[in-house]
PDB file of all heavy atoms in Angstrom:
ATOM      1  N   CYS A  10      11.775   7.812  11.675  1.00 78.00           N
ATOM      2  CA  CYS A  10      12.539   7.005  10.729  1.00 78.00           C
ATOM      3  C   CYS A  10      11.799   5.697  10.527  1.00 78.00           C
ATOM      4  O   CYS A  10      11.632   4.921  11.462  1.00 78.00           O
ATOM      5  CB  CYS A  10      13.928   6.746  11.290  1.00 78.00           C
ATOM      6  SG  CYS A  10      14.751   8.277  11.699  1.00 78.00           S
ATOM      7  N   GLU A  11      11.357   5.448   9.335  1.00 83.00           N
ATOM      8  CA  GLU A  11      10.547   4.264   9.061  1.00 83.00           C
ATOM      9  C   GLU A  11      10.507   3.998   7.564  1.00 83.00           C
ATOM     10  O   GLU A  11      10.861   4.851   6.757  1.00 83.00           O
ATOM     11  CB  GLU A  11       9.124   4.471   9.583  1.00 83.00           C
ATOM     12  CG  GLU A  11       8.413   5.654   8.936  1.00 83.00           C
ATOM     13  CD  GLU A  11       7.053   5.949   9.546  1.00 83.00           C
ATOM     14  OE1 GLU A  11       6.622   5.215  10.431  1.00 83.00           O
ATOM     15  OE2 GLU A  11       6.432   6.939   9.127  1.00 83.00           O
ATOM     16  N   THR A  12      10.049   2.804   7.212  1.00 88.00           N
ATOM     17  CA  THR A  12       9.798   2.473   5.816  1.00 88.00           C
ATOM     18  C   THR A  12       8.343   2.807   5.525  1.00 88.00           C
ATOM     19  O   THR A  12       7.460   2.453   6.300  1.00 88.00           O
ATOM     20  CB  THR A  12      10.049   0.984   5.549  1.00 88.00           C
ATOM     21  OG1 THR A  12      11.410   0.700   5.891  1.00 88.00           O
ATOM     22  CG2 THR A  12       9.814   0.638   4.088  1.00 88.00           C
ATOM     23  N   VAL A  13       8.101   3.517   4.446  1.00 87.00           N
ATOM     24  CA  VAL A  13       6.725   3.896   4.099  1.00 87.00           C
ATOM     25  C   VAL A  13       6.376   3.416   2.701  1.00 87.00           C
ATOM     26  O   VAL A  13       7.261   3.237   1.859  1.00 87.00           O
ATOM     27  CB  VAL A  13       6.513   5.428   4.178  1.00 87.00           C
ATOM     28  CG1 VAL A  13       6.736   5.943   5.576  1.00 87.00           C
ATOM     29  CG2 VAL A  13       7.401   6.163   3.194  1.00 87.00           C
ATOM     30  N   LYS A  14       5.105   3.176   2.494  1.00 90.00           N
ATOM     31  CA  LYS A  14       4.615   2.846   1.155  1.00 90.00           C
ATOM     32  C   LYS A  14       3.889   4.079   0.633  1.00 90.00           C
ATOM     33  O   LYS A  14       3.016   4.614   1.304  1.00 90.00           O
ATOM     34  CB  LYS A  14       3.655   1.656   1.197  1.00 90.00           C
ATOM     35  CG  LYS A  14       3.147   1.289  -0.199  1.00 90.00           C
ATOM     36  CD  LYS A  14       2.441  -0.044  -0.215  1.00 90.00           C
ATOM     37  CE  LYS A  14       1.015   0.101   0.264  1.00 90.00           C
ATOM     38  NZ  LYS A  14       0.226  -1.126   0.052  1.00 90.00           N
ATOM     39  N   VAL A  15       4.271   4.535  -0.539  1.00 88.00           N
ATOM     40  CA  VAL A  15       3.662   5.719  -1.138  1.00 88.00           C
ATOM     41  C   VAL A  15       2.868   5.285  -2.366  1.00 88.00           C
ATOM     42  O   VAL A  15       3.371   4.546  -3.208  1.00 88.00           O
ATOM     43  CB  VAL A  15       4.734   6.753  -1.541  1.00 88.00           C
ATOM     44  CG1 VAL A  15       4.095   7.951  -2.229  1.00 88.00           C
ATOM     45  CG2 VAL A  15       5.511   7.209  -0.323  1.00 88.00           C
ATOM     46  N   ALA A  16       1.621   5.726  -2.410  1.00 90.00           N
ATOM     47  CA  ALA A  16       0.774   5.422  -3.564  1.00 90.00           C
ATOM     48  C   ALA A  16       0.409   6.728  -4.254  1.00 90.00           C
ATOM     49  O   ALA A  16      -0.042   7.678  -3.615  1.00 90.00           O
ATOM     50  CB  ALA A  16      -0.492   4.705  -3.108  1.00 90.00           C
ATOM     51  N   LEU A  17       0.649   6.808  -5.542  1.00 90.00           N
ATOM     52  CA  LEU A  17       0.258   7.959  -6.341  1.00 90.00           C
ATOM     53  C   LEU A  17      -1.120   7.674  -6.916  1.00 90.00           C
ATOM     54  O   LEU A  17      -1.322   6.681  -7.613  1.00 90.00           O
ATOM     55  CB  LEU A  17       1.266   8.199  -7.471  1.00 90.00           C
ATOM     56  CG  LEU A  17       0.924   9.315  -8.450  1.00 90.00           C
ATOM     57  CD1 LEU A  17       0.879  10.670  -7.753  1.00 90.00           C
ATOM     58  CD2 LEU A  17       1.932   9.337  -9.598  1.00 90.00           C
ATOM     59  N   CYS A  18      -2.073   8.525  -6.572  1.00 90.00           N
ATOM     60  CA  CYS A  18      -3.459   8.294  -6.985  1.00 90.00           C
ATOM     61  C   CYS A  18      -3.942   9.412  -7.905  1.00 90.00           C
ATOM     62  O   CYS A  18      -3.479  10.543  -7.814  1.00 90.00           O
ATOM     63  CB  CYS A  18      -4.373   8.238  -5.758  1.00 90.00           C
ATOM     64  SG  CYS A  18      -3.901   6.981  -4.579  1.00 90.00           S
ATOM     65  N   ALA A  19      -4.890   9.054  -8.759  1.00 90.00           N
ATOM     66  CA  ALA A  19      -5.531  10.034  -9.632  1.00 90.00           C
ATOM     67  C   ALA A  19      -7.037   9.919  -9.421  1.00 90.00           C
ATOM     68  O   ALA A  19      -7.561   8.820  -9.243  1.00 90.00           O
ATOM     69  CB  ALA A  19      -5.181   9.775 -11.088  1.00 90.00           C
ATOM     70  N   SER A  20      -7.709  11.051  -9.414  1.00 87.00           N
ATOM     71  CA  SER A  20      -9.164  10.993  -9.246  1.00 87.00           C
ATOM     72  C   SER A  20      -9.838  12.007 -10.162  1.00 87.00           C
ATOM     73  O   SER A  20      -9.273  13.066 -10.453  1.00 87.00           O
ATOM     74  CB  SER A  20      -9.552  11.269  -7.789  1.00 87.00           C
ATOM     75  OG  SER A  20      -9.264  12.598  -7.443  1.00 87.00           O
ATOM     76  N   ARG A  21     -11.024  11.633 -10.615  1.00 89.00           N
ATOM     77  CA  ARG A  21     -11.840  12.517 -11.433  1.00 89.00           C
ATOM     78  C   ARG A  21     -13.266  12.368 -10.954  1.00 89.00           C
ATOM     79  O   ARG A  21     -13.690  11.264 -10.564  1.00 89.00           O
ATOM     80  CB  ARG A  21     -11.748  12.097 -12.903  1.00 89.00           C
ATOM     81  CG  ARG A  21     -11.164  13.180 -13.769  1.00 89.00           C
ATOM     82  CD  ARG A  21     -10.999  12.841 -15.205  1.00 89.00           C
ATOM     83  NE  ARG A  21     -11.825  11.740 -15.702  1.00 89.00           N
ATOM     84  CZ  ARG A  21     -11.610  11.115 -16.822  1.00 89.00           C
ATOM     85  NH1 ARG A  21     -10.595  11.445 -17.558  1.00 89.00           N
ATOM     86  NH2 ARG A  21     -12.399  10.151 -17.237  1.00 89.00           N
ATOM     87  N   GLU A  22     -13.984  13.441 -10.978  1.00 90.00           N
ATOM     88  CA  GLU A  22     -15.371  13.404 -10.504  1.00 90.00           C
ATOM     89  C   GLU A  22     -16.170  12.360 -11.284  1.00 90.00           C
ATOM     90  O   GLU A  22     -16.086  12.278 -12.508  1.00 90.00           O
ATOM     91  CB  GLU A  22     -16.009  14.795 -10.684  1.00 90.00           C
ATOM     92  CG  GLU A  22     -17.245  14.976  -9.827  1.00 90.00           C
ATOM     93  CD  GLU A  22     -17.762  16.406  -9.868  1.00 90.00           C
ATOM     94  OE1 GLU A  22     -16.938  17.338  -9.987  1.00 90.00           O
ATOM     95  OE2 GLU A  22     -18.980  16.573  -9.783  1.00 90.00           O
ATOM     96  N   GLY A  23     -16.884  11.526 -10.524  1.00 92.00           N
ATOM     97  CA  GLY A  23     -17.711  10.497 -11.146  1.00 92.00           C
ATOM     98  C   GLY A  23     -16.972   9.209 -11.482  1.00 92.00           C
ATOM     99  O   GLY A  23     -17.558   8.281 -12.019  1.00 92.00           O
ATOM    100  N   HIS A  24     -15.664   9.141 -11.184  1.00 92.00           N
ATOM    101  CA  HIS A  24     -14.862   7.951 -11.461  1.00 92.00           C
ATOM    102  C   HIS A  24     -14.208   7.474 -10.166  1.00 92.00           C
ATOM    103  O   HIS A  24     -13.926   8.274  -9.282  1.00 92.00           O
ATOM    104  CB  HIS A  24     -13.768   8.260 -12.493  1.00 92.00           C
ATOM    105  CG  HIS A  24     -14.308   8.555 -13.854  1.00 92.00           C
ATOM    106  ND1 HIS A  24     -14.811   9.794 -14.195  1.00 92.00           N
ATOM    107  CD2 HIS A  24     -14.430   7.767 -14.956  1.00 92.00           C
ATOM    108  CE1 HIS A  24     -15.223   9.767 -15.458  1.00 92.00           C
ATOM    109  NE2 HIS A  24     -15.004   8.544 -15.942  1.00 92.00           N
ATOM    110  N   PRO A  25     -13.908   6.180 -10.068  1.00 92.00           N
ATOM    111  CA  PRO A  25     -13.214   5.686  -8.858  1.00 92.00           C
ATOM    112  C   PRO A  25     -11.773   6.187  -8.826  1.00 92.00           C
ATOM    113  O   PRO A  25     -11.195   6.527  -9.860  1.00 92.00           O
ATOM    114  CB  PRO A  25     -13.267   4.164  -9.016  1.00 92.00           C
ATOM    115  CG  PRO A  25     -13.465   3.924 -10.476  1.00 92.00           C
ATOM    116  CD  PRO A  25     -14.234   5.111 -11.011  1.00 92.00           C
ATOM    117  N   VAL A  26     -11.210   6.228  -7.604  1.00 91.00           N
ATOM    118  CA  VAL A  26      -9.812   6.633  -7.452  1.00 91.00           C
ATOM    119  C   VAL A  26      -8.927   5.556  -8.063  1.00 91.00           C
ATOM    120  O   VAL A  26      -9.108   4.364  -7.808  1.00 91.00           O
ATOM    121  CB  VAL A  26      -9.460   6.840  -5.959  1.00 91.00           C
ATOM    122  CG1 VAL A  26      -7.973   7.110  -5.791  1.00 91.00           C
ATOM    123  CG2 VAL A  26     -10.281   7.980  -5.379  1.00 91.00           C
ATOM    124  N   LEU A  27      -7.982   5.989  -8.888  1.00 93.00           N
ATOM    125  CA  LEU A  27      -7.094   5.064  -9.584  1.00 93.00           C
ATOM    126  C   LEU A  27      -5.694   5.164  -8.971  1.00 93.00           C
ATOM    127  O   LEU A  27      -5.141   6.253  -8.852  1.00 93.00           O
ATOM    128  CB  LEU A  27      -7.039   5.442 -11.073  1.00 93.00           C
ATOM    129  CG  LEU A  27      -6.063   4.674 -11.953  1.00 93.00           C
ATOM    130  CD1 LEU A  27      -6.515   3.219 -12.097  1.00 93.00           C
ATOM    131  CD2 LEU A  27      -5.954   5.327 -13.315  1.00 93.00           C
ATOM    132  N   VAL A  28      -5.125   4.017  -8.557  1.00 93.00           N
ATOM    133  CA  VAL A  28      -3.744   3.993  -8.070  1.00 93.00           C
ATOM    134  C   VAL A  28      -2.829   3.885  -9.287  1.00 93.00           C
ATOM    135  O   VAL A  28      -2.829   2.885  -9.992  1.00 93.00           O
ATOM    136  CB  VAL A  28      -3.506   2.818  -7.096  1.00 93.00           C
ATOM    137  CG1 VAL A  28      -2.034   2.775  -6.673  1.00 93.00           C
ATOM    138  CG2 VAL A  28      -4.399   2.945  -5.878  1.00 93.00           C
ATOM    139  N   VAL A  29      -2.055   4.938  -9.540  1.00 94.00           N
ATOM    140  CA  VAL A  29      -1.189   5.008 -10.713  1.00 94.00           C
ATOM    141  C   VAL A  29       0.118   4.254 -10.489  1.00 94.00           C
ATOM    142  O   VAL A  29       0.612   3.557 -11.367  1.00 94.00           O
ATOM    143  CB  VAL A  29      -0.910   6.485 -11.082  1.00 94.00           C
ATOM    144  CG1 VAL A  29       0.030   6.583 -12.279  1.00 94.00           C
ATOM    145  CG2 VAL A  29      -2.202   7.230 -11.337  1.00 94.00           C
ATOM    146  N   ALA A  30       0.682   4.408  -9.281  1.00 95.00           N
ATOM    147  CA  ALA A  30       1.957   3.749  -8.974  1.00 95.00           C
ATOM    148  C   ALA A  30       2.109   3.619  -7.464  1.00 95.00           C
ATOM    149  O   ALA A  30       1.511   4.381  -6.707  1.00 95.00           O
ATOM    150  CB  ALA A  30       3.113   4.562  -9.551  1.00 95.00           C
ATOM    151  N   GLU A  31       2.911   2.646  -7.042  1.00 94.00           N
ATOM    152  CA  GLU A  31       3.215   2.448  -5.622  1.00 94.00           C
ATOM    153  C   GLU A  31       4.702   2.172  -5.474  1.00 94.00           C
ATOM    154  O   GLU A  31       5.316   1.563  -6.341  1.00 94.00           O
ATOM    155  CB  GLU A  31       2.444   1.245  -5.055  1.00 94.00           C
ATOM    156  CG  GLU A  31       0.999   1.512  -4.760  1.00 94.00           C
ATOM    157  CD  GLU A  31       0.334   0.299  -4.089  1.00 94.00           C
ATOM    158  OE1 GLU A  31       0.907  -0.810  -4.141  1.00 94.00           O
ATOM    159  OE2 GLU A  31      -0.744   0.486  -3.536  1.00 94.00           O
ATOM    160  N   GLU A  32       5.260   2.635  -4.354  1.00 94.00           N
ATOM    161  CA  GLU A  32       6.678   2.370  -4.083  1.00 94.00           C
ATOM    162  C   GLU A  32       6.902   2.479  -2.584  1.00 94.00           C
ATOM    163  O   GLU A  32       6.184   3.197  -1.891  1.00 94.00           O
ATOM    164  CB  GLU A  32       7.555   3.392  -4.830  1.00 94.00           C
ATOM    165  CG  GLU A  32       9.044   3.130  -4.758  1.00 94.00           C
ATOM    166  CD  GLU A  32       9.439   1.787  -5.348  1.00 94.00           C
ATOM    167  OE1 GLU A  32       9.494   1.645  -6.579  1.00 94.00           O
ATOM    168  OE2 GLU A  32       9.689   0.865  -4.542  1.00 94.00           O
ATOM    169  N   THR A  33       7.896   1.773  -2.072  1.00 92.00           N
ATOM    170  CA  THR A  33       8.275   1.927  -0.666  1.00 92.00           C
ATOM    171  C   THR A  33       9.643   2.583  -0.605  1.00 92.00           C
ATOM    172  O   THR A  33      10.470   2.412  -1.510  1.00 92.00           O
ATOM    173  CB  THR A  33       8.343   0.568   0.064  1.00 92.00           C
ATOM    174  OG1 THR A  33       9.286  -0.252  -0.596  1.00 92.00           O
ATOM    175  CG2 THR A  33       6.986  -0.105   0.107  1.00 92.00           C
ATOM    176  N   PHE A  34       9.876   3.361   0.439  1.00 86.00           N
ATOM    177  CA  PHE A  34      11.210   3.908   0.668  1.00 86.00           C
ATOM    178  C   PHE A  34      11.414   4.170   2.144  1.00 86.00           C
ATOM    179  O   PHE A  34      10.473   4.140   2.932  1.00 86.00           O
ATOM    180  CB  PHE A  34      11.481   5.157  -0.186  1.00 86.00           C
ATOM    181  CG  PHE A  34      10.619   6.342   0.121  1.00 86.00           C
ATOM    182  CD1 PHE A  34      11.064   7.330   0.979  1.00 86.00           C
ATOM    183  CD2 PHE A  34       9.371   6.487  -0.474  1.00 86.00           C
ATOM    184  CE1 PHE A  34      10.280   8.436   1.256  1.00 86.00           C
ATOM    185  CE2 PHE A  34       8.587   7.590  -0.202  1.00 86.00           C
ATOM    186  CZ  PHE A  34       9.037   8.567   0.662  1.00 86.00           C
ATOM    187  N   GLN A  35      12.670   4.415   2.511  1.00 86.00           N
ATOM    188  CA  GLN A  35      13.066   4.510   3.911  1.00 86.00           C
ATOM    189  C   GLN A  35      13.386   5.948   4.287  1.00 86.00           C
ATOM    190  O   GLN A  35      14.195   6.595   3.635  1.00 86.00           O
ATOM    191  CB  GLN A  35      14.314   3.638   4.112  1.00 86.00           C
ATOM    192  CG  GLN A  35      14.891   3.644   5.506  1.00 86.00           C
ATOM    193  CD  GLN A  35      14.083   2.793   6.460  1.00 86.00           C
ATOM    194  OE1 GLN A  35      13.535   1.784   6.070  1.00 86.00           O
ATOM    195  NE2 GLN A  35      13.985   3.213   7.703  1.00 86.00           N
ATOM    196  N   PHE A  36      12.725   6.451   5.344  1.00 81.00           N
ATOM    197  CA  PHE A  36      13.117   7.732   5.922  1.00 81.00           C
ATOM    198  C   PHE A  36      14.281   7.474   6.866  1.00 81.00           C
ATOM    199  O   PHE A  36      14.230   6.544   7.674  1.00 81.00           O
ATOM    200  CB  PHE A  36      11.957   8.364   6.708  1.00 81.00           C
ATOM    201  CG  PHE A  36      10.999   9.122   5.844  1.00 81.00           C
ATOM    202  CD1 PHE A  36       9.782   8.565   5.479  1.00 81.00           C
ATOM    203  CD2 PHE A  36      11.295  10.404   5.407  1.00 81.00           C
ATOM    204  CE1 PHE A  36       8.894   9.257   4.676  1.00 81.00           C
ATOM    205  CE2 PHE A  36      10.420  11.106   4.606  1.00 81.00           C
ATOM    206  CZ  PHE A  36       9.210  10.537   4.242  1.00 81.00           C
ATOM    207  N   VAL A  37      15.314   8.271   6.787  1.00 77.00           N
ATOM    208  CA  VAL A  37      16.485   8.081   7.641  1.00 77.00           C
ATOM    209  C   VAL A  37      16.630   9.257   8.598  1.00 77.00           C
ATOM    210  O   VAL A  37      16.129  10.346   8.351  1.00 77.00           O
ATOM    211  CB  VAL A  37      17.781   7.934   6.809  1.00 77.00           C
ATOM    212  CG1 VAL A  37      17.725   6.691   5.946  1.00 77.00           C
ATOM    213  CG2 VAL A  37      18.038   9.172   5.951  1.00 77.00           C
ATOM    214  N   GLN A  38      17.328   9.013   9.682  1.00 76.00           N
ATOM    215  CA  GLN A  38      17.568  10.056  10.673  1.00 76.00           C
ATOM    216  C   GLN A  38      18.726  10.926  10.201  1.00 76.00           C
ATOM    217  O   GLN A  38      19.750  10.412   9.763  1.00 76.00           O
ATOM    218  CB  GLN A  38      17.908   9.391  12.008  1.00 76.00           C
ATOM    219  CG  GLN A  38      17.941  10.347  13.168  1.00 76.00           C
ATOM    220  CD  GLN A  38      17.866   9.601  14.494  1.00 76.00           C
ATOM    221  OE1 GLN A  38      17.384   8.478  14.540  1.00 76.00           O
ATOM    222  NE2 GLN A  38      18.327  10.232  15.534  1.00 76.00           N
ATOM    223  N   ASP A  39      18.563  12.244  10.283  1.00 78.00           N
ATOM    224  CA  ASP A  39      19.650  13.146   9.911  1.00 78.00           C
ATOM    225  C   ASP A  39      19.855  14.181  11.011  1.00 78.00           C
ATOM    226  O   ASP A  39      19.162  14.181  12.027  1.00 78.00           O
ATOM    227  CB  ASP A  39      19.397  13.797   8.548  1.00 78.00           C
ATOM    228  CG  ASP A  39      18.160  14.690   8.538  1.00 78.00           C
ATOM    229  OD1 ASP A  39      17.517  14.877   9.593  1.00 78.00           O
ATOM    230  OD2 ASP A  39      17.832  15.217   7.456  1.00 78.00           O
ATOM    231  N   GLU A  40      20.795  15.085  10.801  1.00 79.00           N
ATOM    232  CA  GLU A  40      21.148  16.063  11.825  1.00 79.00           C
ATOM    233  C   GLU A  40      19.994  17.018  12.118  1.00 79.00           C
ATOM    234  O   GLU A  40      19.794  17.428  13.255  1.00 79.00           O
ATOM    235  CB  GLU A  40      22.386  16.872  11.405  1.00 79.00           C
ATOM    236  CG  GLU A  40      23.676  16.074  11.353  1.00 79.00           C
ATOM    237  CD  GLU A  40      23.862  15.312  10.045  1.00 79.00           C
ATOM    238  OE1 GLU A  40      22.978  15.392   9.156  1.00 79.00           O
ATOM    239  OE2 GLU A  40      24.886  14.618   9.917  1.00 79.00           O
ATOM    240  N   ALA A  41      19.230  17.389  11.085  1.00 80.00           N
ATOM    241  CA  ALA A  41      18.112  18.309  11.288  1.00 80.00           C
ATOM    242  C   ALA A  41      17.042  17.665  12.180  1.00 80.00           C
ATOM    243  O   ALA A  41      16.493  18.308  13.077  1.00 80.00           O
ATOM    244  CB  ALA A  41      17.501  18.709   9.943  1.00 80.00           C
ATOM    245  N   TYR A  42      16.782  16.383  11.949  1.00 80.00           N
ATOM    246  CA  TYR A  42      15.822  15.639  12.766  1.00 80.00           C
ATOM    247  C   TYR A  42      16.301  15.599  14.222  1.00 80.00           C
ATOM    248  O   TYR A  42      15.541  15.866  15.154  1.00 80.00           O
ATOM    249  CB  TYR A  42      15.675  14.233  12.191  1.00 80.00           C
ATOM    250  CG  TYR A  42      14.785  13.297  12.979  1.00 80.00           C
ATOM    251  CD1 TYR A  42      13.408  13.305  12.784  1.00 80.00           C
ATOM    252  CD2 TYR A  42      15.323  12.414  13.903  1.00 80.00           C
ATOM    253  CE1 TYR A  42      12.586  12.435  13.500  1.00 80.00           C
ATOM    254  CE2 TYR A  42      14.513  11.548  14.616  1.00 80.00           C
ATOM    255  CZ  TYR A  42      13.142  11.563  14.416  1.00 80.00           C
ATOM    256  OH  TYR A  42      12.349  10.710  15.121  1.00 80.00           O
ATOM    257  N   ASP A  43      17.595  15.273  14.409  1.00 82.00           N
ATOM    258  CA  ASP A  43      18.168  15.221  15.760  1.00 82.00           C
ATOM    259  C   ASP A  43      18.081  16.580  16.448  1.00 82.00           C
ATOM    260  O   ASP A  43      17.738  16.665  17.626  1.00 82.00           O
ATOM    261  CB  ASP A  43      19.635  14.789  15.705  1.00 82.00           C
ATOM    262  CG  ASP A  43      19.798  13.311  15.350  1.00 82.00           C
ATOM    263  OD1 ASP A  43      18.824  12.544  15.518  1.00 82.00           O
ATOM    264  OD2 ASP A  43      20.898  12.935  14.902  1.00 82.00           O
ATOM    265  N   ALA A  44      18.425  17.634  15.706  1.00 82.00           N
ATOM    266  CA  ALA A  44      18.405  18.979  16.286  1.00 82.00           C
ATOM    267  C   ALA A  44      16.997  19.388  16.705  1.00 82.00           C
ATOM    268  O   ALA A  44      16.792  19.941  17.788  1.00 82.00           O
ATOM    269  CB  ALA A  44      18.977  19.982  15.287  1.00 82.00           C
ATOM    270  N   ALA A  45      16.005  19.123  15.851  1.00 85.00           N
ATOM    271  CA  ALA A  45      14.619  19.479  16.173  1.00 85.00           C
ATOM    272  C   ALA A  45      14.133  18.702  17.393  1.00 85.00           C
ATOM    273  O   ALA A  45      13.495  19.270  18.287  1.00 85.00           O
ATOM    274  CB  ALA A  45      13.709  19.218  14.973  1.00 85.00           C
ATOM    275  N   GLN A  46      14.450  17.411  17.449  1.00 83.00           N
ATOM    276  CA  GLN A  46      14.076  16.587  18.607  1.00 83.00           C
ATOM    277  C   GLN A  46      14.710  17.145  19.885  1.00 83.00           C
ATOM    278  O   GLN A  46      14.070  17.251  20.921  1.00 83.00           O
ATOM    279  CB  GLN A  46      14.525  15.129  18.408  1.00 83.00           C
ATOM    280  CG  GLN A  46      13.739  14.378  17.383  1.00 83.00           C
ATOM    281  CD  GLN A  46      12.439  13.809  17.947  1.00 83.00           C
ATOM    282  OE1 GLN A  46      11.953  14.203  18.989  1.00 83.00           O
ATOM    283  NE2 GLN A  46      11.876  12.863  17.245  1.00 83.00           N
ATOM    284  N   PHE A  47      16.005  17.474  19.796  1.00 84.00           N
ATOM    285  CA  PHE A  47      16.725  17.998  20.953  1.00 84.00           C
ATOM    286  C   PHE A  47      16.110  19.310  21.431  1.00 84.00           C
ATOM    287  O   PHE A  47      15.837  19.493  22.615  1.00 84.00           O
ATOM    288  CB  PHE A  47      18.204  18.202  20.611  1.00 84.00           C
ATOM    289  CG  PHE A  47      18.974  18.934  21.675  1.00 84.00           C
ATOM    290  CD1 PHE A  47      19.299  18.300  22.868  1.00 84.00           C
ATOM    291  CD2 PHE A  47      19.372  20.247  21.483  1.00 84.00           C
ATOM    292  CE1 PHE A  47      20.005  18.975  23.854  1.00 84.00           C
ATOM    293  CE2 PHE A  47      20.073  20.930  22.467  1.00 84.00           C
ATOM    294  CZ  PHE A  47      20.394  20.290  23.655  1.00 84.00           C
ATOM    295  N   LEU A  48      15.872  20.230  20.499  1.00 86.00           N
ATOM    296  CA  LEU A  48      15.317  21.529  20.873  1.00 86.00           C
ATOM    297  C   LEU A  48      13.909  21.399  21.448  1.00 86.00           C
ATOM    298  O   LEU A  48      13.562  22.082  22.407  1.00 86.00           O
ATOM    299  CB  LEU A  48      15.313  22.469  19.659  1.00 86.00           C
ATOM    300  CG  LEU A  48      16.694  22.930  19.196  1.00 86.00           C
ATOM    301  CD1 LEU A  48      16.598  23.659  17.866  1.00 86.00           C
ATOM    302  CD2 LEU A  48      17.354  23.813  20.248  1.00 86.00           C
ATOM    303  N   ALA A  49      13.103  20.520  20.872  1.00 87.00           N
ATOM    304  CA  ALA A  49      11.738  20.330  21.371  1.00 87.00           C
ATOM    305  C   ALA A  49      11.749  19.807  22.803  1.00 87.00           C
ATOM    306  O   ALA A  49      10.941  20.233  23.629  1.00 87.00           O
ATOM    307  CB  ALA A  49      10.963  19.376  20.469  1.00 87.00           C
ATOM    308  N   THR A  50      12.680  18.905  23.108  1.00 86.00           N
ATOM    309  CA  THR A  50      12.714  18.334  24.453  1.00 86.00           C
ATOM    310  C   THR A  50      13.384  19.254  25.465  1.00 86.00           C
ATOM    311  O   THR A  50      13.160  19.103  26.663  1.00 86.00           O
ATOM    312  CB  THR A  50      13.439  16.968  24.480  1.00 86.00           C
ATOM    313  OG1 THR A  50      14.743  17.133  23.937  1.00 86.00           O
ATOM    314  CG2 THR A  50      12.682  15.934  23.669  1.00 86.00           C
ATOM    315  N   CYS A  51      14.176  20.228  25.005  1.00 83.00           N
ATOM    316  CA  CYS A  51      14.858  21.094  25.978  1.00 83.00           C
ATOM    317  C   CYS A  51      14.157  22.437  26.181  1.00 83.00           C
ATOM    318  O   CYS A  51      14.696  23.308  26.840  1.00 83.00           O
ATOM    319  CB  CYS A  51      16.326  21.279  25.619  1.00 83.00           C
ATOM    320  SG  CYS A  51      16.662  22.449  24.311  1.00 83.00           S
ATOM    321  N   ALA A  52      12.944  22.591  25.657  1.00 85.00           N
ATOM    322  CA  ALA A  52      12.188  23.832  25.918  1.00 85.00           C
ATOM    323  C   ALA A  52      12.016  23.968  27.432  1.00 85.00           C
ATOM    324  O   ALA A  52      11.508  23.079  28.086  1.00 85.00           O
ATOM    325  CB  ALA A  52      10.823  23.772  25.238  1.00 85.00           C
TER     326      ALA A  52
END
């Protein structure tokens, strides 16, 4: 669970990578995340 910055990039051979757009958003904890963590630790 963290805040991430996402950059959408475009590239073409022979040209520099172009950043088309950037945005930040937050990953949140949900039941699936909790369940996977629990199962991984209880192997």
Side-chain angles (χ1 to χ4, degrees):
C10 305
E11 60 186 357
T12 301
V13 298
K14 181 168 81 170
V15 177
L17 176 63
C18 302
S20 67
R21 242 178 21 196
E22 199 172 327
H24 292 81
V26 174
L27 175 68
V28 177
V29 178
E31 282 185 344
E32 187 60 77
T33 59
F34 65 95
Q35 178 77 34
F36 277 102
V37 296
Q38 190 163 337
D39 64 4
E40 292 83 0
Y42 176 84
D43 288 340
Q46 289 277 17
F47 171 73
L48 290 171
T50 56
C51 78

